[in-house]
Amino acid sequence: MGELSYNLRDKVFVVTGGSRGIGLEITKLLLKEKAKVVICGRKQDGLDAAVSNLDAGDSIFAVSAHIAKADDVDNLFDKTMEKYGKLDGLINNVGMNIVTSLIDAEPSLWQKIIDSNLTGTFLCSRKAGQIMREQKSGKIVSISSIAGRRSAPAMGIYGVAKAGVEMMTKVLAQELAPFNIQVNAVAPSMVKTKFSEPFWSNKDIHEQIVKAIPLGRIADPIDVAHPTLFLCSEASDFITGQTILVDGGSSAV
Ligand SMILES: NC(=O)c1ccc[n+]([C@@H]2O[C@H](COP(=O)([O-])OP(=O)(O)OC[C@H]3O[C@@H](n4cnc5c(N)ncnc54)[C@H](OP(=O)(O)O)[C@@H]3O)[C@@H](O)[C@H]2O)c1
């Protein structure tokens, strides 16, 4: 990709789950644009490694937080405001799945998947929305999944949670529009990260997945990071309540 500018210099973003995978790629792109970034994750060693590798000085810092815990989320945004004094964007990137059929899932597993994908998105959006409402500007972008659109056996709880993320995106877009805040989502198909490694690292499964993708490959994290940055930038100021599918054309078939 050539020199594309999203005009994000000195804007402040929180990226949840910024220590690896898609969140780390979004963080890299934001830093390249000279934005300030606060990343969170549960494990301090993952955060430390990311901050050290990114080598971005005062433009990045990490807060250890479990996004489904309200106190952790409050602390994440309090620290962000203490450090940078404003919040221009939130990327709700955290997500996880454990493969199970719905009827065999224990209620505790249901709760864990819903908490990480949906409750955490609510808690972070709520807190960020309150700050942005005062500022009368802001961008919220959530990383959903095509699993929220297309039912897949064994991905049921995850799919329900991501469908919830899409509906939350529409509701928040309406609630926050009067305050000049845009709320959107990006829904990828398979992306080459640790999360999906059990699938893409298996030659037969990988071949089968790629067959259903017109562009003939699975996504790389950067394929998700670029549309996310577009939705964080003034180039998308008249877009809200939308979900962009980043699926290599598979939903067009
Ligand atoms: N990869 C795919 O194929 C794919 C496809 C469609 C959608 N997505 C979505 O894209 C997003 C990112 O996925 P990814 O593939 O980049 O995942 P990943 O490689 O597993 O990275 C997940 C990140 O989130 C953090 N995290 C996980 N649970 C957390 C929690 N409860 N609180 C705070 N941080 C937490 C992890 O750090 P810690 O472990 O230290 O907490 C890590 O930084 C997710 O929403 C996922 O559903 C992924």
Side-chain angles (χ1 to χ4, degrees), residues 9 13 20 27 33 40 44 64 79 90 105 110 127 129 172 178 192 201 206-208 231 237:
R9 179 179 287 272
F13 291 88
R20 61 168 189 267
T27 300
E33 290 291 315
C40 81
Q44 191 64 49
S64 157
K79 290 259 163 64
L90 162 67
W110 163 273
K127 193 76 188 167
L172 285 170
K192 202 168 185 183
S201 62
H206 179 262
E207 240 170 54
Q208 225 177 329
L231 291 173
D237 276 356

Side-chain angles (χ1 to χ4, degrees), residues 19 22 42-43 65 67 93 144 158 162 189 191 193 195:
S19 59
I22 295 168
R42 291 161 303 176
K43 295 177 204 113
I67 58 146
N93 164 74
S144 185
Y158 178 72
K162 292 300 195 186
S189 53
V191 187
T193 67
F195 170 96

Side-chain angles (χ1 to χ4, degrees), residues 191-227:
V191 187
K192 202 168 185 183
T193 67
K194 184 167 180 241
F195 170 96
S196 53
E197 193 171 357
F199 301 102
W200 54 258
S201 62
N202 177 309
K203 198 170 165 280
D204 295 338
I205 300 177
H206 179 262
E207 240 170 54
Q208 225 177 329
I209 291 167
V210 165
K211 255 189 216 157
I213 303 175
L215 287 176
R217 64 174 177 87
I218 65 168
D220 287 314
I222 192 72
D223 294 313
V224 185
H226 272 296

Side-chain angles (χ1 to χ4, degrees), residues 4 22 31 59 68 95-96 98 116 130 136 141 156 171 180 185 192 215 220 244:
L4 182 63
I22 295 168
L31 290 171
S59 294
M96 58 76 73
I98 291 166
S116 297
Q130 289 169 0
K136 298 209 168 23
V141 183
V171 175
N180 185 32
K192 202 168 185 183
L215 287 176
D220 287 314
I244 298 182

Side-chain angles (χ1 to χ4, degrees), residues 60-129:
I60 185 159
F61 84 99
V63 179
S64 157
H66 187 309
I67 58 146
K69 296 184 179 167
D71 287 350
D72 282 14
V73 171
D74 286 353
N75 182 51
L76 168 65
F77 287 94
D78 289 350
K79 290 259 163 64
T80 301
M81 293 303 282
E82 259 168 46
K83 170 95 173 154
Y84 295 125
K86 64 170 184 162
L87 179 67
D88 297 296
L90 162 67
I91 319 297
N92 285 309
N93 164 74
V94 166
M96 58 76 73
N97 187 34
I98 291 166
V99 172
T100 174
S101 69
L102 267 175
I103 59 160
D104 291 320
E106 290 297 326
S108 58
L109 182 59
W110 163 273
Q111 200 57 54
K112 188 180 160 99
I113 298 173
I114 295 290
D115 275 355
S116 297
N117 291 284
L118 187 56
T119 311
T121 300
F122 158 67
L123 290 174
C124 291
S125 302
R126 171 180 167 274
K127 193 76 188 167

